[in-house]
Each structure stands twice: as structure tokens, then as C-alpha cells.
Amino acid sequence: MSKLTHKDVLRADQFSKSEIALIVEIAREYEQALAAGRVLEVMKGQVLSTLFYEPSTRTRLSFEAAMLRLGGSVISVAEAKSSSAAKGESLYDTMKTVEGYADVIVLRHPQIGAAAEAAAATYRPVLNAGDGAGQHPTQSLLDYYTIEKERGTVEGLIVTLAGDLKHGRTVHSLAELLSSYDVRFVFASPAALRMPVDIVARLKARGVSITETESLADAIRTSDVLYMTRIQRERFEDPAEYDRLKDAYVLTRSMLAGAKDGLTVMHPLPRVNEIAIDVDDYAGAAYFRQAANGLAIRMALLALVTGRA
Ligand code: NCD
């Protein structure tokens, strides 16, 4: 039993540093076990239900693979339109139903706060796999794990979050999670897509150093980690506004000429145009390793919240 047993995972700022260290430690153990070809049975007899009411590739597949790699089973609703949500069922009723079938529930939903609402409806642990433009805490944990693996530590780094900082739940979560560490932030975005003022205010109140800029080139020169994001088309009310901003930042290989040695380039994926293909063979291009790290982190989370780790 750990402090995470029977807990929901709803927001990145819910974790203490010692909880993050525990999650990473267990993730590393599982990763090594898989690499050694061991077959794990930690979640044998347990059922995970994934409810994805927004598109996903990595998050859903890595959660499902995580459960299967731990010897558990998965039942899944891949899109809202194939579930009773399309008939008007409330999230509350869906959760009361699914808790009868599954031991742990992963939810992605278009509304901010949906995961908290779902968690309040059920006694089963709920993991937030993205609630609209709100939070994406399991992504932040794998992002943290990636920085640690790529750089040794997050301490002392200058981390640039770039792109759609207004709507991007990955950057909302990651900024909150990293703010407990000795990290300096650069927030690089078009003026219309700045980090929400409440998040900036919360970080500043904690004494975190933040520089805001519209210049990606300036940010690249000072960064240790450059975290690119997709302009979140689905969150725009005005398609013309999306068209105006969609290619605001396109990172190309030639732009990295002025970067610090060993710059780490991350992206939660999917990418649209934000990173040119010629960046992929840059040594610091970590985004596909980052996606792979999601498996071990989600194995650790599933085992911890069900008390099996
Ligand atoms: C992100 C998401 O869904 O918020 N994807 C992911 O989970 N890796 C990022 C995005 O969609 O841009």
C-alpha cells in the first residue's frame, strides 16, 4: 500500500515530489522487467475500462498496453458516439455503470473538470487522460520521466513551453508539475495563445521564474528543453483564427543551429506542422522516446492506484 492506493489521478499538481519519485521508480522497474523479457502478473484478474470521448492514439494505446503488460484485462469505449453518451446518458450514470465492470477507469473527455466529476461519481480510481483544455497529468509524469532520462535531472534546467499555451492541457499540467523543482520557464507563444493568467499567477506566487516571449528563435537560444505543442484546432471557436495561427511556430533543423549543446526537443504528439521531419534525426529529438515512456509510467500508475505495486 502506498499513499496513491485508491487515489484518483486528476491534476498534475496533486503529486508531491516523493510521490513523483515513487512513480518514476516503479516505472523504471517495470521498464527493466519488460526489457529483460519478464512476464508480469501484477494486475492479474483486474479489469481496466478506458472511456475516450475525444480522439487519442498514444494515451489510450499506452494505457491499454500497460494493463495488458501487467497481466490485466481491458474493456474499452473508443468514442463517445459508440457509447450511451450518444443517447444522452450522463457521465454520472456511465460511471455508476462502469464501476460494476472494472477495477480502474481511465477517462478522456472534452469538458474541463469532467475527470473530477467522474471521480466523484464512483468509488473506483479514475485517471484523467485529458479533460478538454484542462489537465493531462499522466502525460506530465511521462514528460518528467523523459526529461530525467534524457538529462539526468530536471533540476537547474531552462524549459521552454512553446505553441498553444492557451488551450494545451499538456503544457498546463507540465508547468504545474515542474514548478516544484528548480526549473526556469520560458513560455513562447503567439500573443493570442498565451499561458492562462491564473496558471502564470500561481507559478509566480510560488517563486517560479517565468519569461514570456513571442519569439521561438529567442527561446531556442536559451533553452535546455524545448517542449513544442500543436495548435489545438478543436478548441477554437473561429476557424479563421485557427488558420491565422496554425503555422505560427514551425521548428526546422536549421533553427537549431543556435541552440545550446544537448538541447532536448519534446512534443506530446500528435504533431501537425510544428516540427519539420528534418528535426527527427537530431540527437536531442526525444519525442518518440517520450511517447514510448508513457507505457512504463502508466503501468506504474495503474499498479499504484489499485494497490498492486
Ligand atoms: C495531447 C493531448 O491529447 O492533449 N496528446 C497526447 O495525449 N499525447 C496533445 C495534443 O493533442 O496536442
Side-chain angles (χ1 to χ4, degrees), residues 58-59 108 136 139 169-170 230 232 268-270:
R58 278 149 290 273
T59 307
R108 171 169 288 187
H136 195 349
Q139 177 73 42
R169 56 194 173 201
T170 63
R230 176 179 69 89
Q232 307 278 298
L269 304 178

Side-chain angles (χ1 to χ4, degrees), residues 56-86:
S56 171
T57 298
R58 278 149 290 273
T59 307
R60 186 164 71 85
L61 292 183
S62 63
F63 262 118
E64 296 188 359
M67 191 63 175
L68 297 171
R69 291 285 186 192
L70 289 170
S73 307
V74 178
I75 54 175
S76 139
V77 168
E79 19 174 29
K81 66 173 188 286
S82 70
S83 78
S84 286

Side-chain angles (χ1 to χ4, degrees), residues 206-225:
R206 276 186 227 147
V208 178
S209 155
I210 298 170
T211 306
E212 292 186 270
T213 179
E214 285 185 50
S215 166
L216 183 61
D218 284 355
I220 290 170
R221 271 191 294 280
T222 55
S223 301
D224 299 303
V225 174

Side-chain angles (χ1 to χ4, degrees), residues 156-212:
L157 297 181
I158 299 180
V159 177
T160 293
L161 306 181
D164 188 349
L165 306 186
K166 178 181 179 188
H167 305 107
R169 56 194 173 201
T170 63
V171 281
H172 299 164
S173 283
L174 187 57
E176 306 249 19
L177 187 134
L178 290 180
S179 70
S180 305
Y181 301 86
D182 175 24
V183 163
R184 276 180 287 162
F185 286 116
V186 178
F187 293 161
S189 73
L193 298 177
R194 286 172 68 172
M195 184 67 84
V197 286
D198 60 312
I199 296 180
V200 174
R202 216 162 32 242
L203 300 181
K204 284 193 170 160
R206 276 186 227 147
V208 178
S209 155
I210 298 170
T211 306
E212 292 186 270

Side-chain angles (χ1 to χ4, degrees), residues 9 41 47 73 132 208 217 239 246-247 251 303:
V9 173
E41 300 201 320
V47 175
S73 307
V208 178
K246 68 177 198 279
D247 292 323
L251 180 68

Side-chain angles (χ1 to χ4, degrees), residues 62-115:
S62 63
F63 262 118
E64 296 188 359
M67 191 63 175
L68 297 171
R69 291 285 186 192
L70 289 170
S73 307
V74 178
I75 54 175
S76 139
V77 168
E79 19 174 29
K81 66 173 188 286
S82 70
S83 78
S84 286
K87 300 179 184 168
E89 184 170 54
S90 68
L91 189 55
Y92 179 88
D93 285 5
T94 302
M95 298 313 285
K96 295 312 284 177
T97 304
V98 173
E99 73 182 13
Y101 309 146
D103 304 285
V104 53
I105 300 166
V106 173
L107 175 72
R108 171 169 288 187
H109 196 282
Q111 266 159 29
I112 294 179

